[in-house]
Amino acid sequence: MKYMSLQEIAAACGGTYYGGSEFLPREVSSVVIDSRKAEKDSLFIAIRGARVDGHSFIPKVMEQGALCAVSEEDLGDVPYSYIKVASCEQALKDIAEHYRRSLDIKVVGISGSVGKTSTKEMIASVLSQKYSVLKTEGNFNNEIGLPLTVFNLRKEHEIAVLEMGISGFEEMTRLAKVARPDICVLTNIGVAHMENLGSRAGS
């Protein structure tokens, strides 16, 4: 990823930085939520999951060489830097939105009830004949996966093909803020997720 400083990151997510001021200009090498992927100078965002709380892994990732953690908890007097936020999930999106805005790249956003992944693969395959393309991998198309995909963008990428999936109201608004697509492709509007959306019209 293109480097971001801790000062930039704290400002982007509206967090409070705790740690030595000498670390604020330091740049992170990656943004991760999986402690197993933390490496030297990573930013670790402690997401609370249904079964696992990322906060319990903060000491481990800092020992692995991470530069800073993002936490919803007050970590007290610890020998490493961290940024305290109200919501780590929101911070993930806010930081990704800031990162996306810093990149001069065209983005194709793909959504729809069915056919998103195959459409993404076809578009990415065609575009990659001429351009350096990043595409969504697997099912990283939600409010956690999309920001993580955005962080994989490098300076050499010319186009991103990003899949965006929703299951409720306002999700697409939040995803679009992160992806900022230049071109949007809707495969169809079917009857998926009617338990949350009510109808095709969203009522």
Side-chain angles (χ1 to χ4, degrees):
M1 65 176 288
K2 176 184 172 184
Y3 293 144
M4 292 185 291
S5 71
L6 293 185
Q7 189 164 9
E8 273 185 86
I9 290 167
C13 66
T16 302
Y17 173 79
Y18 294 91
S21 59
E22 68 273 17
F23 291 105
L24 281 170
R26 292 273 301 274
E27 297 174 328
V28 301
S29 60
S30 62
V31 178
V32 299
I33 64 169
D34 185 338
S35 62
R36 296 167 296 183
K37 295 182 179 179
E39 56 187 12
K40 180 175 170 53
D41 292 337
S42 289
L43 177 73
F44 176 69
I45 301 181
I47 300 291
R48 295 186 194 275
R51 291 178 292 181
V52 179
D53 184 352
H55 290 81
S56 62
F57 295 98
I58 291 177
K60 176 185 175 183
V61 299
M62 300 311 293
E63 287 178 6
Q64 291 171 204
L67 180 60
C68 186
V70 177
S71 169
E72 295 172 9
E73 300 175 358
D74 185 346
L75 301 182
D77 186 18
V78 292
Y80 46 77
S81 300
Y82 75 98
I83 298 169
K84 186 179 179 184
V85 296
S87 165
C88 283
E89 285 195 28
Q90 185 59 48
L92 177 69
K93 288 178 282 194
D94 289 341
I95 297 166
E97 180 184 351
H98 170 78
Y99 184 67
R100 165 68 182 94
R101 287 177 180 273
S102 74
L103 300 170
D104 183 17
I105 186 172
K106 295 296 183 184
V107 172
V108 180
I110 300 171
S111 192
S113 298
V114 295
K116 294 185 292 295
T117 300
S118 56
T119 302
K120 172 203 68 182
E121 293 293 336
M122 287 188 288
I123 291 174
S125 178
V126 171
L127 291 174
S128 64
Q129 302 303 306
K130 183 176 180 180
Y131 302 100
S132 175
V133 176
L134 176 84
K135 66 178 181 179
T136 300
E137 296 295 340
N139 61 349
F140 275 45
N141 63 3
N142 59 19
E143 293 188 68
I144 299 294
L146 178 66
L148 293 174
T149 299
V150 167
F151 290 129
N152 286 331
L153 285 166
R154 305 287 188 270
K155 288 182 179 180
E156 62 267 25
H157 288 125
E158 298 171 282
I159 297 177
V161 182
L162 303 179
E163 183 178 328
M164 296 182 283
I166 68 165
S167 59
F169 292 109
E170 304 299 328
E171 283 184 73
M172 185 55 69
T173 299
R174 296 191 292 269
L175 292 174
K177 281 187 67 179
V178 174
R180 296 177 60 81
D182 299 282
I183 299 170
C184 299
V185 178
L186 286 178
T187 59
N188 58 36
I189 300 176
V191 293
H193 307 298
M194 288 298 104
E195 68 278 10
N196 295 326
L197 298 172
S199 69
R200 285 184 174 182
S203 58

